[in-house]
Amino acid sequence: MTIAIIDYGAGNLRSAAKALELAAGRIGLASPVIVTADPEAVAKADHIVLPGDGAFADCRTNLDSVDGMIEAINEAIDVRGRPFLGICVGMQLLATRGIEYGVTRGLARIPGEVRRIEPSDARLKIPHMGWNTLNASAPHPLLDGIALGDDGWHAYFLHGYQLYAENPADVVATAEYGGPITAIVTTGNVAGTQFHPEKSQKLGLALLANFLKWKP
């Protein structure tokens, strides 16, 4: 089994690779983790991760600049049925569009749009940065064994925008920051986390292990 992290000039590639290697080892998987800009390698991988940091539009431009990568992602998801995970802006790119200094089309996997966070408490700073527990909106294999709620494990967030999904069923978990913040989305064999599992210690490694065991 091969785990591919898409290299398109955005995201914490080394940290994500190390976290996935550790998560694989903890569940007894001898799975190579490759960081690659090769569309063919991505299309053939068994699990695929799309990281992302920075602005939505910049990340989309970078992804489009890798010849054949969008087609490889579509093939992996739609033809091969591979589990796919977007992280931070990689998760936001799953939306229909992003609204940040203009409108930028997303990958249209999760109907909805990415807009600036507007907390109900004006004293809360944007970007949202720090550790939050998660509240489950629905059960999902990605959350198996993870302690949720106020006394649960913590995930690390760093973002000024969030994905506002059109279909509430696509939102598996939220965090609280002056209102609910979309934390995990899923549809079919596609999932995304707004937080950084590679920086989220116990919760992050558990979620990545669940992703590698996931058979949607």
Side-chain angles (χ1 to χ4, degrees):
M1 185 174 78
T2 301
I3 304 160
I5 301 174
I6 299 174
D7 180 1
Y8 65 111
N12 297 309
L13 302 177
R14 181 176 296 181
S15 296
K18 287 184 176 180
L20 282 161
E21 289 170 354
L22 184 55
R26 289 191 174 186
I27 58 175
L29 289 178
S31 303
V33 178
I34 61 172
V35 176
T36 181
D38 179 2
E40 185 175 353
V42 170
K44 292 182 177 179
D46 297 285
H47 287 75
I48 301 153
V49 176
L50 179 69
D53 279 318
F56 187 105
D58 291 342
C59 286
R60 179 65 206 236
T61 296
N62 287 356
L63 191 58
D64 286 338
S65 71
V66 183
D67 189 39
M69 188 58 77
I70 298 295
E71 292 80 4
I73 290 172
N74 291 337
E75 178 181 343
I77 294 173
D78 298 325
V79 179
R80 299 176 183 263
R82 302 307 193 200
F84 183 96
L85 177 68
I87 295 175
C88 196
V89 181
M91 174 262 222
Q92 294 179 1
L93 286 172
L94 299 175
T96 308
R97 58 189 170 272
I99 301 177
E100 183 178 1
Y101 308 114
V103 178
T104 304
R105 62 190 175 90
L107 298 174
R109 294 287 172 174
I110 303 288
E113 61 186 25
V114 176
R115 304 193 306 270
R116 185 172 175 82
I117 299 170
E118 297 180 357
S120 59
D121 186 345
R123 295 171 296 179
L124 293 174
K125 294 182 179 180
I126 302 299
H128 167 220
M129 178 175 65
W131 297 86
N132 291 80
T133 57
L134 304 180
N135 299 308
S137 307
H140 194 276
L142 291 178
L143 294 171
D144 286 351
I146 294 177
L148 303 167
D150 292 343
D151 297 321
W153 300 345
H154 288 76
Y156 180 74
F157 290 81
L158 176 56
H159 63 121
Y161 290 73
Q162 72 155 315
L163 198 166
Y164 294 86
E166 292 180 6
N167 183 358
D170 290 338
V171 179
V172 169
T174 61
E176 181 64 29
Y177 194 72
I181 296 290
T182 299
I184 303 176
V185 293
T186 63
T187 181
N189 55 325
V190 174
T193 65
Q194 180 60 68
F195 58 90
H196 289 271
E198 76 279 9
K199 296 182 179 180
S200 297
Q201 301 177 0
K202 186 176 182 179
L203 184 151
L205 288 176
L207 183 134
L208 291 175
N210 286 340
F211 171 66
L212 296 178
K213 292 186 291 184
W214 188 29
K215 297 180 180 179

